[in-house]
Amino acid sequence: MKTLFIPNGHNPDLRGNPEASIIHLPRPSSLAVVPSAFPFVKPRLQVKEGDRVSLGSPLFEDKRRPELRFLSPGGGIIENIIFGPRRIVTAIIIRLDEKEEREFFQPLENEDLETMDREELMQHLVKGGLWPLFRSLPFRAIADTKELPDTLYVRMDSHQPFSALPEAYLQGHLEAFRFGIRVLKKLAGQLAVYTCAEQHSFVLNECQGVVNHTVFGRYPAQDPGVVHYHLRKKGNTGKAWFITGEDVLLIAHLLETGTYPGERTYAMGGTGLASPCHVRTRFGAPVSHLIEACDPLEGNFRNIAGGLFRGRNAGQEGFMSMYETSLTRIPEGKEKEYFGFMRPGLSKNSVSRTFLSALFNRPAKVDCNTHGEERACINCGTCTRLCPVEMLPQFTMKALHADAIEEALAHGLLDCVQCGLCAYACPSKIDLSGIFGSAREKLYQEQQKGA
Ligand code: SF4
Ligand code: SF4
């Protein structure tokens, strides 16, 4: 077992952490797929409004890579296809039938797994619509089926505030998880399953012989990009893919039962919920359906799908996408704070120790207020101190503003894991991770054109 220590990062102590208990929710009346949440995918629709679909029928394919199939998470009628700016498909909504039809794929027995070759196994996953769960570094695009990675990382816990706990999502599914790991062993040169050592003795006890790396460090030490960066420094070079522990269960479900997985566990956190906990419900469930289960408070709250630092505003009527396993509800925080600059900040959440809250060892409140607008960089170095991949975010940002892309790459733009910490901590309110995200996207598009 390898032990890795990541020196930088930050763990904010915030109110509203979910309990490990799980509430099993009844079936929602509709589900959706959010195509815009798949990185670098240009959807070509294969259905139209009014069509009847089964659980596991194709909904759309990628125009650039038509072999990628994106399947329906439920059986029913296509109720609505929502388009965003430039006619980007933002959601395909399916109204569920009372009795859902389902597509059947070839299930695999334990012995099949021994005899089957890698190519055949990959085809099972592609046909079953779960290939998009494999993402490649550094761009985090969906992995290329024609490549073989040197390392496949399995991230068990994300350490992001309010994210899903392995104790919760593995509850009752340990055997399926072990089967999923055997599947992954066939797909990659080397498999690195890792967990965050301080928090999850449960994973270490229950997954002995499966988890082979432990990572010490604050958020986002457990990010596959961060782990890869630090292992690379120790000579572990080459192509790397990653997948999350929650997704290993989906793969096991597909291959064991021959049906597209219908359920997953979501972590529900934030001060906008009176009873934050984990819920188990359908894949692609509506945000409102999840929130209702955790006693939402009245008021102006934002629902963030996919994690506090990295997530997106899912709105009140949105749906969960394939990669999102947590939903955070926090106050919008747009109310004016009178004489805010004179207040001691007893309950303010801050990385620096300028507020009195730093003296008290108690969880802080978090809201969406930025407490000010963007200003010029003051070279305070906070972003550099936090960056887990030892970038110099302020210089990278300045190089990008000057169109000096080579310089930005030399500062480590491709190592950025878009954890959002630099933007969260920046006293000048500069959206550093957003700037790096757009630059990386452009680089990926150019690389694809040149390929
Ligand atoms: S944290 Fe913000 S202000 Fe400070 S160095 Fe980084 S970019 Fe500049
Ligand atoms: S530069 Fe990237 S990796 Fe570093 S803190 Fe910012 S978002 Fe995270």
Side-chain angles (χ1 to χ4, degrees), residues 94-265:
I94 303 128
R95 181 157 38 85
L96 296 182
D97 284 342
E98 206 45 53
K99 194 169 177 330
E100 294 175 59
E101 299 285 323
R102 55 184 62 202
E103 297 281 328
F104 286 98
F105 304 95
Q106 177 75 34
L108 291 191
E109 301 291 334
N110 267 328
E111 305 79 62
D112 297 337
L113 204 53
E114 303 302 330
T115 51
M116 157 175 293
D117 65 14
R118 180 184 177 270
E119 185 61 31
E120 212 181 325
L121 179 60
M122 215 170 60
Q123 284 315 319
H124 270 275
L125 295 169
V126 172
K127 268 197 204 131
L130 293 189
W131 189 256
L133 298 177
F134 294 97
R135 319 258 302 270
S136 61
L137 293 172
F139 288 106
R140 297 176 178 246
I142 296 173
D144 189 341
T145 48
K146 293 177 215 74
E147 280 176 355
L148 175 70
D150 298 291
T151 311
L152 172 56
Y153 294 103
V154 182
R155 189 215 74 198
M156 295 302 296
D157 34 28
S158 88
H159 228 171
Q160 196 175 184
F162 317 130
S163 56
L165 302 172
E167 289 90 324
Y169 71 74
L170 287 180
Q171 233 179 73
H173 301 284
L174 272 168
E175 271 319 302
F177 179 74
R178 291 199 177 100
F179 177 77
I181 291 294
R182 288 183 52 219
V183 171
L184 300 190
K185 277 189 178 151
K186 282 223 113 159
L187 283 175
Q190 189 206 342
L191 189 66
V193 186
Y194 64 93
T195 188
C196 142
E198 303 99 322
Q199 274 190 338
H200 296 305
S201 51
F202 163 85
V203 185
L204 295 175
N205 290 341
E206 296 293 335
C207 304
Q208 278 177 12
V210 171
V211 170
N212 50 13
H213 285 53
T214 47
V215 181
F216 288 87
R218 290 158 290 182
Y219 170 78
Q222 289 70 30
D223 185 279
V226 176
V227 174
H228 187 58
Y229 172 82
H230 287 273
L231 287 179
R232 209 173 60 203
K233 286 206 302 190
K234 296 182 177 174
N236 188 2
T237 51
K239 279 199 187 312
W241 292 357
F242 68 91
I243 184 168
T244 66
E246 294 99 313
D247 294 341
V248 175
L249 295 179
L250 302 184
I251 285 179
H253 178 98
L254 172 77
L255 297 181
E256 282 183 327
T257 64
T259 54
Y260 191 71
E263 283 198 336
R264 84 177 319 162
T265 305

Side-chain angles (χ1 to χ4, degrees), residues 387-389 391 393 416-422 433 436:
C387 182
V389 289
M391 270 174 73
C416 172
V417 297
Q418 291 182 261
C419 64
L421 266 189
C422 49
S433 51
F436 302 151

Side-chain angles (χ1 to χ4, degrees), residues 432-448:
L432 293 153
S433 51
I435 296 170
F436 302 151
S438 315
R440 284 163 54 93
E441 204 174 314
K442 246 194 233 164
L443 270 171
Y444 178 82
Q445 311 285 14
E446 273 164 27
Q447 212 179 67
Q448 292 302 298

Side-chain angles (χ1 to χ4, degrees), residues 375-384 393-395 397-398 422-423 425-430 432:
R375 300 182 291 271
C377 168
I378 52 169
N379 275 328
C380 63
T382 311
C383 50
T384 308
Q394 74 274 45
F395 296 122
M397 177 256 303
K398 287 171 190 171
C422 49
C426 175
S428 291
K429 321 291 173 193
I430 303 171
L432 293 153

